[in-house]
Amino acid sequence: MKMNRNKLGKMMSEFSQELGMPAQRKAGGLGRKMLWAAGSAAGFLLIRGLYNRMK
C-alpha cells in the first residue's frame, strides 16, 4: 500500500498539533540521513535478534 507522502505528512502534522506539539519544518538533509541510518541499524539488530532466537 503506497501512500502519498504529502498526504501522510499533513496527517502527521495535524496529529502532532492535536497533541500540543508544534509542527516542525522538514529536517535538513544530514538530519534525515542520520535518522534513516539509525532506523536501519535498529531494524537490522531486531531482525538479527529474531533470527538468532529462531536457531
Side-chain angles (χ1 to χ4, degrees):
M1 181 174 99
K2 194 168 188 176
M3 188 176 233
N4 187 356
R5 291 181 76 180
N6 291 336
K7 187 176 179 182
L8 180 62
K10 186 177 179 182
M11 287 172 31
M12 292 301 289
S13 65
E14 289 174 359
F15 180 68
S16 64
Q17 286 176 353
E18 288 178 11
L19 293 176
M21 295 186 297
Q24 294 181 349
R25 295 289 153 218
K26 290 184 179 179
L30 180 60
R32 185 174 293 173
K33 287 177 186 175
M34 287 176 61
L35 182 62
W36 194 86
S40 297
F44 173 74
L45 291 174
L46 179 67
I47 291 170
R48 190 176 73 173
L50 289 172
Y51 178 75
N52 287 337
R53 192 176 295 177
M54 292 171 69
K55 276 184 166 179

